[in-house]
Structure formats: structure tokens, C-alpha cells
Amino acid sequence: MERRVCHRLQDPKQFNGRTAKHSYVDNAKKKIVTEREDCTLDSTVDQHGRPAIRGRTGTWVAGILILVNQGLATLAFFGVGVNLVLFLTRVMGQDNAEAANSVSKWTGTVYIFSLLGAFLSDSYWGRYKTCAIFQAIFVVGLVSLSLSSYIFLVKPNGCGDEQTPCGSHSTFQMALFYLSIYLIALGNGGYQPNIATFGADQFDEEDPKEGHSKVAFFSYFYLALNLGSLFSNTILVYFEDEGMWALGFWASTGSATMALVLFLIGTPRYRHFIPRGNPLSRICQVVVAAMRKWKAEIPPSGEELYEVDGKECSNTGARKILHTHGFKFLDRAAVITSKECTLEDKDLHNPWRLCPVTQVEEVKCVLRLLPIWLCTILYSVVFTQMASLFVEQGAAMKTTISTFHIPPASMSSFDILSVALFIFIYRRVLDPLVARLRKNSPKGFSELERMGIGLVIAIMAMVAAGTVEHFRLKYKQKDCTAHCEDSSSLSIFWQVPQYVLIGASEVFMYVGQLEFFNRQAPDGLKSFGSALCMTSISLGNYVSSLLVSIVMKISTQDKMPGWIPGNLNKGHLDRFYFLLAALTTADFVVYVVCAKWYKYMKFEGKSEEDSNCNNCCDAIV
């Protein structure tokens, strides 16, 4: 039996920022054996707050646990979300436009809560604790929805399919339903941006090999997200479409519970970044300090601006950001005036008077990210149609092959398969090919280029959807006067191209977004960077809801039922799709201008001495 004993290293040169020394007694050889193990260079710590040892924490062991957790949690979420529009129409009695708006608002709320999760994570709780708490809330919401559906929402039994309507519901029952789905929104929203960043935390980007794995993680993360929803979009959708809603919701509850348990099992293996405190206060400090010195002269070069001594240990362990020349008015926060030269140290280091360059650059970084982020919102308007109007369009097409019925929501499986295919094509074929063609660049498309390509493919998807709807109307049933299923003889499989194009656009837009915002967000705002990606989806859903309402108000005149009525055969959904294609085209033009203006953030490289400073701590058992 071996007994391992940990020793504190007194000499930082022994540690060298790279290894921890371990001594243990080998009883077989009757002697003390000393080992050295590599530590991470990115300031991550283990569950006890001590420097993370590379061989014992993180990497793909922890990464795979998080990917499986994400897959199971996504299965649970989409078990509710992908068919929610049909639940609202068939069980809760809403019409098509009202149900589409309700789904858009609910989905938007999911991603608004991502900002709350990111704030708590970056400021106080850390990503691990935030993920665990919000996953627990997610499970509670699913249990509540499953119980309420089983007890009184889906009554009589088997209602909610195409033929059997459900009875009316009391105010209490409606309130419990909305409480349940918004608890699900809170839990999933607070969890999502943090799990993506927490997974990336398991790879040390200061190490070349792990840095490459970190970039690959985002693609596999998005693949896990889509594969997790594959079961929901096929098996669960089928049972729910047949009226077995409670069974589908209980399956989602079981999956979410398994995800939480698996996440907790990996606790000893995870790497963590220590929260850096409230980012809002750091931003306000820069603004206040700059306003206090609004008359101060800004030096021509950034070398004269205030920065923390590179030899000092940072309490936060954050990397320094190199000075940039944009937003020069903020540089005044880092200008040391003649008055400040006479202040005592405690007054000089008052962050409301004087901020280091890195803190100023954090604010500049956020300001530069905002225009890019705003341009992604309209893409999310296109993306959200897949969970609402695409499903309603599919329900109005021929959904049977022989005697087998195809649930309209299950068509999103083609989107998932498209995502898996295009992730493989991009990583194995397209990216290496572009890298070889660009001899002056070691990598393929940049994140901004990928996002632009995603916008172009989204335009193509909307044109395809509008074209399909145009021909669906040509083959409509003229005797259909109310809410009609299978009200056109055009097969639902004509929707496949629009789903495939949406999937391809996701690989370029959303994976590119995850990489871009995670890479360009400062160290203390990594979860906020992921939340920006989620919040663009949120606002996209709200904009979609607003756009549908405006279109219906303008297009509903006299005897005209509007573009998106309850009976799609009397409307012009194709015009709405073409409108989205035109708006996305205009958004693409603005995006190109913003992408050309954007300046990438650059970190100061860590010297060996800096590594010693950030890691000269207790060795780890």
C-alpha cells in the first residue's frame, strides 16, 4: 500500500509554473519516492481551490462527461420545446399565430435567463456551482410539468392528438402550466451558457495540444446538443403527437435527472476558474474614472498608461490585454495625472480614480462585441421559425406514407443530421482545404467569416421555405375551411431542403459564435461571452414574435385573413418567408461592415516568470 504525502514548495523556481512535487512512501521498496506532475498554466484550480494538475484534472475525461451531460439535458429540454407549439394548439386551445408567439416568447425567456446565469457565474458562484443549481431548477420544472399534464392538463386521456380535443382548463391549472414551463426556462437558460464555457475550461489554452482540443470542443459541444435533441425530435415527438404527452414529459424528466447525476459524478475531475467579482462594477469604474479626467491629455502611445506591474501576482489570475487605439476616450481612466502622482498608494490604487489598461480594454472589448452581436439577432429570427412556423407548415402538408403518420416536429431531425454532417465536412474537409489555400494563415476561416457564411446560408433557407410554401398552396385542399391537418397534397418531405440549409447555417453561425465570443471575451467575462450567443437567440425569438404580430396586423384587412391565419391555405406564409430572406440580406450587408471594423483582442504572452507568479501555491496531493 502506498501513502502519498504532499509538500509545499518553498522555492518558486522548483515549481517553475509547470510542475508540482509529490513525495510518497513505497512500502514495497521501503523508500520515499518523489514525483513531479505538470500543472496547468491558465490559472485553473481543482475542486479544493489548489492549482490544477494536468494529468489528474480536465482534458477529454472531463470534457466527455460534460458533452454527455449536455446531450441528456438537451434531450430533456427539446422533449418539451420542440412540440410545445402543438401542445399549445391541441391541449391549451390556442390558434396558430398565438401559439407561435407563445413559443417565441418562451424560448426568448429561456435565453434571457442565460444572462442571469452568466452574471452569477462570472461574479460570485463560479461555473460549476451555477451549472449544478440551475440544472436542479430545470429538473423541478420538468417534474411539475409532468405531474400537471398527467393529473389534469391532458384530459380526457389520449386527448391532444389530431382528432381528440382536450377540455377547458381552470385558472389554477393554466397558472401551474406556465409556472412549470418558465421554471424549465429558468433552469435551462441559466445552465446553458455556463456549461459550454465550463467545458472549454477543462482545456488549457496555454498548452498547444490542449489549446487545439479547446477549439474542437465547441464543435463537439454543438454536435452533442443536436444529437441530444435527435431522440426528442423522433421518438418523443411521435408519442406526444399521438397524445401521450405525459409519457413524453416524464421521459424528459428522467433524462434531465440522469444529466444532473452524471455532472455531479465528475466533480473531482473538473478544473475551475475563480470568479473575478461583479463585472458591472469593473465597467462602471472605467467609465467613472474616464469621466473624472475628461480634460486629461491622452498620451500618444499606450506605454505611458497605467498597468499593474507584470511581476506582481494578480489576485484574479487574469491575463493582461494589450492596449488598442479604439475608443480613446476610455484611455483617460488609465492616465496617471500629476495630481495622482502625489497620492499615497492606497489612493493611487483606487479603481474609481485609476484603472489599469487591461480593465479599460475589457470595456473596449465589450463595446466592440456589441455590433457583431446585434447583427446575429436577425439570424436567430430565421432559426426560430424551425420550432414554430416550419412545424405549422409541415402540419398543413401530406404527412402520411401509406398508413404511417410523420409528426411535423420530427422533420427537425433533418436539421440535426445536417448539423452532424456539416460539422464533419467543415472540420475534416473545408477548414484544412482553406488553410492550405491560404498559405499565409495556419487556420481556415476565421470566426467572423464563418458567421457571415452562416447568414448567407440562412437566406437560402428562407428562399427554399418560401418556394415550398408557394407550391404547397398550389396543391391545397379547397374544401378545408377551419384548422386542417394534411390540407395539401404536397408531401412534407419537400421541407427537407429548408431544414438541411438551417442545419448547415448553424454550423457556421452558432459554432462560430460560441468560439468567437468565448475567445474574444475577457477572462472575467467568459460566461458572459457565451451568454451573448444565447441572448441573440432570445432576442431573435422576441423579434420574431413582434414581426409576426406586425405582419398579421398589416396584412389582415377587410376580408383578408392575413399571411399567417389559423388555416394556412387562406394565408400567404410564403410572403413572410421571403420577407425574412430580404431582411436577412440587409442584415448581412450591415454585418460585413461591422466585421471589417472589428479589431481582435490580443493578450500579453505569459513569460516563465509570470507563470511562476500565478502558480506559486501549495502542491496538490
Side-chain angles (χ1 to χ4, degrees):
M1 179 177 178
E2 297 178 354
R3 181 170 61 87
R4 294 178 180 263
V5 181
C6 175
H7 294 281
R8 177 182 177 90
L9 297 180
Q10 302 296 332
D11 183 4
K13 293 180 180 178
Q14 262 187 311
F15 185 73
N16 203 28
R18 301 176 187 279
T19 60
K21 185 173 71 173
H22 303 270
S23 298
Y24 65 92
V25 178
D26 188 337
N27 291 328
K29 298 182 178 179
K30 303 296 182 182
K31 65 178 182 179
I32 296 177
V33 179
T34 300
E35 294 180 344
R36 290 182 181 274
E37 294 183 285
D38 289 338
C39 288
T40 57
L41 299 176
D42 60 357
S43 304
T44 50
V45 298
D46 64 11
Q47 61 175 329
H48 302 295
R50 297 173 297 194
I53 292 181
R54 193 181 304 280
R56 299 186 185 186
T57 60
T59 65
W60 282 112
V61 177
I64 290 173
L65 282 173
I66 292 171
L67 290 176
V68 176
N69 166 268
Q70 170 66 11
L72 289 171
T74 304
L75 186 157
F77 177 73
F78 280 97
V80 175
V82 75
N83 240 356
L84 185 59
V85 67
L86 294 184
F87 187 86
L88 290 170
T89 54
R90 296 178 182 179
V91 178
M92 308 306 288
Q94 297 184 4
D95 61 33
N96 282 338
E98 185 183 5
N101 277 346
S102 296
V103 171
S104 293
K105 290 174 182 176
W106 177 77
T107 309
T109 305
V110 171
Y111 297 117
I112 282 292
F113 282 133
S114 68
L115 287 176
L116 173 63
F119 174 78
L120 291 173
S121 171
D122 285 335
S123 303
Y124 307 110
W125 290 354
R127 286 184 265 279
Y128 170 79
K129 186 177 180 181
T130 306
C131 287
I133 291 174
F134 279 103
Q135 281 190 83
I137 295 172
F138 182 45
V139 171
V140 170
L142 284 167
V143 170
S144 176
L145 178 63
S146 302
L147 283 173
S148 59
S149 298
Y150 177 74
I151 296 173
F152 44 69
L153 289 181
V154 185
K155 293 293 181 181
N157 290 333
C159 74
D161 58 4
E162 291 184 28
Q163 290 80 29
T164 311
C166 291
S168 59
H169 304 101
S170 67
T171 303
F172 169 76
Q173 293 169 351
M174 295 285 287
L176 184 58
F177 166 73
Y178 281 108
L179 174 64
S180 300
I181 63 172
Y182 278 95
L183 275 176
I184 293 170
L186 173 61
N188 188 264
Y191 152 82
Q192 277 295 333
N194 291 294
I195 197 65
T197 310
F198 187 59
D201 290 346
Q202 307 311 308
F203 303 95
D204 182 3
E205 65 182 29
E206 299 290 336
D207 177 77
K209 185 177 180 181
E210 288 195 24
H212 178 75
S213 296
K214 186 171 185 173
V215 173
F217 174 82
F218 288 108
S219 294
Y220 295 132
F221 178 85
Y222 201 78
L223 179 61
L225 187 152
N226 280 270
L227 292 179
S229 64
L230 182 61
F231 182 83
S232 302
N233 293 355
T234 52
I235 307 300
L236 287 188
V237 160
Y238 177 77
F239 283 109
E240 291 172 355
D241 194 63
E242 294 297 316
M244 290 178 274
W245 294 97
L247 175 63
F249 293 155
W250 278 120
S252 292
T253 303
S255 180
T257 304
M258 288 174 59
L260 177 57
V261 171
L262 185 66
F263 179 79
L264 296 176
I265 287 174
T267 299
R269 184 78 195 189
Y270 297 139
R271 297 175 184 172
H272 310 264
F273 278 98
I274 299 172
R276 293 190 58 200
N278 191 341
L280 296 179
S281 64
R282 295 202 304 276
I283 292 173
C284 291
Q285 286 168 356
V286 171
V287 175
V288 171
M291 291 177 63
R292 278 182 166 182
K293 294 180 282 191
W294 64 280
K295 291 184 177 180
E297 184 178 349
I298 302 174
S301 67
E303 296 178 359
E304 300 177 38
L305 297 175
Y306 172 70
E307 180 59 289
V308 176
D309 187 354
K311 295 181 181 180
E312 293 180 9
C313 282
S314 171
N315 293 330
T316 62
R319 293 170 294 176
K320 293 181 182 177
I321 307 174
L322 297 178
H323 175 259
T324 59
H325 293 287
F327 301 104
K328 291 185 70 68
F329 64 94
L330 292 174
D331 286 340
R332 290 189 175 90
V335 172
I336 302 177
T337 63
S338 56
K339 178 181 178 182
E340 286 165 340
C341 289
T342 63
L343 294 175
E344 296 180 4
D345 285 347
K346 63 179 181 178
D347 295 321
L348 178 62
H349 290 89
N350 181 354
W352 297 97
R353 287 179 174 273
L354 184 64
C355 301
V357 169
T358 293
Q359 188 175 345
V360 174
E361 289 300 320
E362 284 184 353
V363 181
K364 290 184 181 182
C365 174
V366 172
L367 293 177
R368 289 194 183 101
L369 288 174
L370 288 178
I372 301 295
W373 171 70
L374 289 171
C375 290
T376 65
I377 293 174
L378 202 57
Y379 171 83
S380 295
V381 175
V382 172
F383 174 74
T384 194
Q385 306 313 314
M386 191 169 58
S388 54
L389 292 181
F390 278 19
V391 178
E392 293 178 6
Q393 180 188 31
M397 301 174 76
K398 183 181 178 182
T399 59
T400 56
I401 298 178
S402 184
T403 59
F404 182 75
H405 172 67
I406 302 166
S410 69
M411 291 299 292
S412 58
S413 302
F414 289 99
D415 164 78
I416 297 166
L417 295 174
S418 174
V419 166
L421 175 64
F422 277 94
I423 282 179
F424 175 80
I425 291 174
Y426 176 78
R427 292 201 58 82
R428 300 297 180 185
V429 180
L430 191 57
D431 199 45
L433 177 62
V434 173
R436 282 197 296 269
L437 293 176
R438 292 179 171 179
K439 297 180 180 179
N440 59 339
S441 175
K443 58 184 293 186
F445 291 117
S446 68
E447 292 94 345
L448 288 174
E449 289 172 335
R450 290 171 66 180
M451 292 158 67
I453 293 171
L455 278 172
V456 172
I457 300 176
I459 296 168
M460 297 165 59
M462 284 298 96
V463 172
T467 304
V468 169
E469 178 64 13
H470 176 76
F471 283 97
R472 189 196 69 80
L473 290 172
K474 279 192 171 184
Y475 295 96
K476 66 184 179 182
Q477 295 178 9
K478 296 181 180 179
D479 57 346
C480 178
T481 58
H483 294 266
C484 301
E485 302 287 342
D486 295 352
S487 59
S488 174
S489 60
L490 192 68
S491 172
I492 194 173
F493 284 107
W494 283 102
Q495 281 192 310
V496 170
Q498 65 202 59
Y499 278 102
V500 170
L501 287 170
I502 289 290
S505 70
E506 289 177 64
V507 172
F508 287 94
M509 172 57 79
Y510 283 143
V511 177
Q513 252 187 295
L514 280 171
E515 291 184 20
F516 177 73
F517 287 126
N518 186 271
R519 183 187 296 271
Q520 292 299 302
D523 286 344
L525 293 169
K526 291 295 184 184
S527 293
F528 172 76
S530 296
L532 281 179
C533 178
M534 311 296 291
T535 311
S536 74
I537 302 176
S538 167
L539 293 180
N541 279 273
Y542 284 121
V543 171
S544 174
S545 177
L546 177 64
L547 194 58
V548 168
S549 299
I550 293 174
V551 164
M552 286 299 292
K553 187 172 182 64
I554 294 176
S555 62
T556 305
Q557 296 177 354
D558 299 328
K559 296 182 180 180
M560 299 295 292
W563 287 2
I564 317 172
N567 181 359
L568 291 181
N569 283 356
K570 295 183 178 181
H572 278 288
L573 183 58
D574 53 340
R575 295 178 184 176
F576 183 74
Y577 287 146
F578 290 138
L579 173 64
L580 284 180
L583 291 175
T584 309
T585 301
D587 180 60
F588 173 73
V589 174
V590 176
Y591 173 81
V592 171
V593 175
C594 292
K596 286 183 175 295
W597 166 81
Y598 184 81
K599 293 180 180 178
Y600 279 87
M601 177 177 60
K602 294 181 180 180
F603 291 102
E604 182 178 270
K606 281 190 176 181
S607 66
E608 188 170 276
E609 186 175 9
D610 294 328
S611 297
N612 295 341
C613 179
N614 285 329
N615 290 287
C616 52
C617 306
D618 288 345
I620 306 167
V621 177

